[in-house]
């Protein structure tokens, strides 16, 4: 489990929000591969901690960790919302995200 803050971009490069408090938990034990097998990625569950952001997280959004770096690239860890995004009565959001290994 990782507690951090992220910035929300949609499409990548257009910053919508900064400082979103989140909890990130690994969703799978093993790295997965895309259909062509060219890229490995890790899958995580992301939970917002202080309610639903003013701009809600949506599928295909990109979230950049504002604190933690990708050990392989030395740049901020980057997560792409790839699946289900649920909003719970204005209390919080949960999203399935992917982090491409080394990207």
């Amino acid at each position: 489990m990782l507690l951090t803050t992220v910035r929300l971009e949609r499409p990548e490069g257009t910053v919508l929000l900064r400082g979103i408090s989140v909890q990130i938990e690994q969703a799978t034990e093993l790295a997965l591969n895309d259909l062509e097998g060219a890229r490995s990625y890790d899958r995580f569950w992301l939970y917002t901690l202080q309610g639903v952001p003013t701009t809600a997280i949506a599928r295909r959004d990109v979230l950049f960790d504002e604190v933690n770096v990708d050990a392989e690239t030395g740049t901020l860890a980057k997560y792409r919302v790839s699946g289900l995004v649920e909003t719970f009565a204005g209390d919080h959001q949960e999203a399935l995200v992917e982090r491409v290994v080394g990207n």
Side-chain angles (χ1 to χ4, degrees):
M1 176 182 70
L2 175 68
L3 300 175
T4 190
T5 61
V6 296
R7 79 173 182 258
L8 170 65
E9 296 188 7
R10 180 190 307 154
E12 190 171 349
T14 305
V15 178
L16 298 176
L17 289 174
R18 296 180 189 275
I20 303 169
S21 296
V22 297
Q23 174 179 322
I24 301 172
E25 294 183 4
Q26 193 159 2
T28 57
E29 293 293 322
L30 302 172
L32 303 168
N33 291 305
D34 65 7
L35 291 176
E36 292 83 29
R39 295 177 131 190
S40 297
Y41 64 90
D42 296 317
R43 187 170 281 164
F44 298 88
W45 282 107
L46 181 135
Y47 308 94
T48 60
L49 297 177
Q50 297 175 332
V52 177
T54 53
T55 301
I57 297 170
R59 190 175 176 136
R60 296 186 60 216
D61 284 348
V62 179
L63 303 163
F64 286 87
D65 192 317
E66 295 177 318
V67 178
N68 302 289
V69 297
D70 181 325
E72 295 185 32
T73 64
T75 62
L76 294 175
K78 175 176 148 180
Y79 301 90
R80 182 175 58 88
V81 180
S82 61
L84 181 66
V85 178
E86 289 189 84
T87 302
F88 292 88
D91 179 61
H92 73 284
Q93 282 193 295
E94 297 180 8
L96 188 59
V97 300
E98 296 173 354
R99 183 176 60 81
V100 176
V101 176
N103 188 19

